[in-house]
Amino acid sequence: MAQKITIEPVTRVEGHGKVTIHLDDNQQVTESRLHIVEFRGFERFVCGRPFWEAPVLVQRLCGICPVSHHLAAAKAMDMIVGAGAGNGLTPVAEKMRRLMHYGQIFQSHVLHFFHLASPDLLFGMDADPEKRNVIGVIMEHTELAKQAVLMRKYGQEIIAATAGKKIHGTGAIPGGINKNLSLEARDAFLNGINSNPDLSADKMIEWSEAAIALLLDYHSSHTEFLDGFAAFPSNHLSLVRPDGALDLYHGVLRAVDPEGKRIVNDVDSRDYLDVVAEEVRSWSYMKFPYIKELGPKDGWYRVGPLARLNVCDFIPSPKAQAAFEQFRAYTKGKPNHMSMHYHWARLIETLHAAEMMKELLLDPDLQNTDLVTKGERCGEGIGLLEAPRGTLFHHYQVNKQDLITMCNLIVSTTNNNEPMNRAVNAAAVAQMTGKAEITEPMMNAVEVAIRAYDPCLSCATHAMGQMPLEVTLYDAAGAVLDQQRKGM
């Protein structure tokens, strides 16, 4: 008997979406889709506004990763005011922005892994949902939870010191930055905020290494699950430094195919429209990007931590590089297509961010006072960077009255739309084929596949409000066979 299962919304992700799963008369999964049901209007909201407002305005897309939008828009506005395309800022301006960005990467990765993803790993996908949450982690893994809170606090304090506020800051301005870092603030971050040694740069590095060790220990006893769950080959895309190094703030576009062969070879980020196009499908407000040369059928790709480690040649910080070498060795140097290994890659980047924060804090350029660069005015600006969830594109056109006339945003989660849909289908096929009754663990397994990508659905659609999780199972005639509801 044909059936349709609906999961709405997906839980423990940022924003709201729903999943529909169709089963045929033989209870075989025939189609699974991740639907983004809210409409994002920011590409229209910003039109008509003065260009210098963009770095502050667009970060209202999201309260989880506002720094990413703040910096991507600021990079685009740098071009408008003639400060170059990512390489024309003063040393203090670029390094303050990088410090802000690494603080964002650090706190966001910590939030996702410890608060949103770890309950599934620590307790199991089929554990009681009353236990399988962050409160359960606090109760049963208290020290780990404390570390997570302090790690996120450290990243948030870095953001506050560089952006002016922890959320929706104003630090990056067209052509530079509006403040430097005081010696007092630098010493506090190096030695311990409020003289607390557990809030020091070295402690962040130590705990980041411990988080990787925790995951590797889990992997040793759950290898089949982490390696096989929602795994499938794909292309991978990210920015890299021109020498091939991982660079989360600026770089050239590179993509590799499932075998590791380059299919986008270090293209200037300003030429992204020569590389990437977007497809619209009727059942989702979120678009489906693809590599133009390959077309929509074969050109879809993954972005984010897993993709970045598949695309780059090395990581320019020693401890993260050692972890990266172990990561690449696991697949014998070939791209890693295991969706659950996003968590491994995410923790390696967390360690890299911790190392880079310390390196930048020790740089005397952060105390310089030459904050802003300006040059010949331009009517178009493009800013790309690697947000926590993947490659982020900001593109603006500005008229002679300094008003924005065009805005194109391709958000990290949008880039991962097709792979998330494939992950949903893979999980649904594995969990629901041949099953006539809905169970909470079956629903959670589908959500686990989505959570691996750490999607930010509000960024992709600008969702508002809250919705309950409601799953309904229908027969071929449309009669309700089973219904479950949770949350508010």
Side-chain angles (χ1 to χ4, degrees):
M1 183 177 294
Q3 303 165 11
K4 176 183 176 181
I5 299 170
T6 303
I7 304 175
E8 184 177 7
V10 177
T11 61
R12 274 191 279 137
V13 299
E14 205 290 321
H16 300 286
K18 74 174 182 179
V19 171
T20 58
I21 301 165
H22 297 261
L23 293 89
D24 63 17
D25 291 339
N26 298 316
Q27 297 178 330
Q28 302 295 307
V29 174
T30 59
E31 184 179 74
S32 306
R33 288 175 172 174
L34 170 64
H35 303 260
I36 308 305
V37 295
E38 277 82 26
F39 177 73
R40 179 192 60 167
F42 264 78
E43 291 172 332
R44 291 293 180 265
F45 296 160
V46 300
C47 288
R49 305 303 305 172
F51 72 81
W52 55 82
E53 288 185 0
V56 174
L57 181 59
V58 295
Q59 61 186 319
R60 264 66 182 183
L61 275 160
C62 180
I64 299 298
C65 45
V67 170
S68 301
H69 294 289
H70 182 55
L71 290 176
K75 289 180 70 177
M77 296 309 123
D78 292 342
M79 291 180 62
I80 299 295
V81 300
N87 55 0
L89 302 185
T90 65
V92 61
E94 178 174 340
K95 291 173 183 178
M96 282 287 285
R97 285 191 188 182
R98 284 182 175 272
L99 181 59
M100 185 194 309
H101 189 44
Y102 283 116
Q104 161 75 354
I105 293 286
F106 188 75
Q107 69 86 20
S108 181
H109 281 356
V110 167
L111 171 67
H112 175 73
F113 181 75
F114 289 105
H115 292 76
L116 303 181
S118 74
D120 297 315
L121 306 179
L122 295 172
F123 303 119
M125 290 191 300
D126 57 351
D128 186 336
E130 292 188 4
K131 175 182 179 181
R132 195 187 63 231
N133 52 56
V134 67
I135 302 301
V137 175
I138 292 171
M139 297 299 293
E140 295 203 16
H141 302 273
T142 305
E143 288 304 313
L144 188 66
K146 287 181 179 178
Q147 288 182 16
V149 169
L150 291 175
M151 291 171 78
R152 185 158 191 258
K153 176 179 175 59
Y154 188 90
Q156 291 284 66
E157 294 296 340
I158 288 282
I159 294 170
T162 52
K165 294 191 296 182
K166 295 177 183 177
I167 299 176
H168 300 154
T170 59
I173 60 176
I177 204 85
N178 63 12
K179 61 178 291 188
N180 62 9
L181 189 71
S182 69
L183 288 172
E184 181 182 18
R186 179 204 67 181
D187 292 343
F189 286 123
L190 288 171
N191 303 319
I193 301 170
N194 296 326
S195 301
N196 182 353
D198 284 342
L199 285 170
S200 66
D202 285 335
K203 184 60 73 173
M204 297 305 107
I205 294 172
E206 176 188 330
W207 282 346
S208 298
E209 289 185 290
I212 295 174
L214 172 70
L215 184 67
L216 292 179
D217 181 66
Y218 178 88
H219 181 261
S220 67
S221 56
H222 299 81
T223 305
E224 183 177 355
F225 165 57
L226 287 184
D227 289 3
F229 186 79
F232 49 86
S234 71
N235 305 312
H236 301 268
L237 178 141
S238 80
L239 295 173
V240 295
R241 208 166 67 186
D243 62 357
L246 177 71
D247 193 329
L248 302 177
Y249 177 74
H250 190 65
V252 292
L253 276 170
R254 179 185 293 183
V256 298
D257 70 8
E259 294 300 314
K261 178 183 176 182
R262 289 192 196 178
I263 49 179
V264 175
N265 192 14
D266 296 359
V267 172
D268 190 304
S269 61
R270 292 169 293 183
D271 298 324
Y272 80 98
L273 285 175
D274 294 336
V275 174
V276 174
E278 296 178 277
E279 181 185 23
V280 176
R281 299 181 190 174
S282 61
W283 44 268
S284 178
Y285 280 122
M286 190 157 67
K287 296 178 183 179
F288 290 78
Y290 61 92
I291 295 169
K292 277 187 174 181
E293 184 178 347
L294 300 180
K297 180 181 178 181
D298 300 318
W300 60 274
Y301 52 84
R302 291 195 249 203
V303 299
L306 185 71
R308 289 190 285 253
L309 296 200
N310 283 328
V311 169
C312 76
D313 296 327
F314 66 98
I315 297 179
S317 62
K319 294 180 183 293
Q321 171 63 16
F324 171 70
E325 290 171 4
Q326 185 178 7
F327 177 87
R328 291 299 294 268
Y330 191 73
T331 54
K332 298 180 172 58
K334 293 287 186 179
N336 185 328
H337 303 300
M338 307 171 208
S339 293
M340 294 302 288
H341 285 216
Y342 260 98
H343 299 305
W344 188 2
R346 189 170 289 115
L347 292 177
I348 293 173
E349 287 191 343
T350 302
L351 174 59
H352 173 58
E355 290 185 280
M356 292 306 298
M357 285 189 291
K358 180 178 180 180
E359 179 179 313
L360 286 164
L361 289 167
L362 292 170
D363 192 323
D365 280 341
L366 291 186
Q367 282 73 55
N368 287 348
T369 57
D370 186 11
L371 305 181
V372 179
T373 299
K374 290 187 179 180
E376 185 176 349
R377 171 78 156 68
C378 177
E380 187 169 26
I382 297 171
L384 273 65
L385 56 72
E386 288 295 326
R389 292 151 186 84
T391 315
L392 174 62
F393 302 74
H394 276 233
H395 184 183
Y396 304 86
Q397 290 177 355
V398 177
N399 64 19
K400 292 181 180 179
Q401 289 72 45
D402 291 341
L403 302 179
I404 296 170
T405 58
M406 188 281 293
C407 172
N408 183 41
L409 308 176
I410 307 178
V411 179
S412 310
T413 296
T414 305
N415 286 299
N416 270 333
N417 198 1
E418 178 65 24
M420 286 193 299
N421 273 275
R422 291 181 179 243
V424 163
N425 190 67
V429 169
Q431 297 291 321
M432 297 184 178
T433 293
K435 306 296 193 305
E437 180 184 358
I438 298 172
T439 66
E440 198 281 336
M442 289 162 55
M443 296 188 295
N444 187 53
V446 174
E447 296 183 62
V448 165
I450 299 170
R451 279 194 287 270
Y453 292 81
D454 187 19
C456 185
L457 305 180
S458 290
C459 279
T461 61
H462 191 53
M464 296 178 64
Q466 295 181 336
M467 295 182 292
L469 170 62
E470 183 174 296
V471 181
T472 306
L473 183 65
Y474 299 89
D475 64 16
V480 175
L481 297 178
D482 188 18
Q483 187 175 64
Q484 293 191 22
R485 182 184 179 94
K486 69 177 182 179
M488 292 297 295

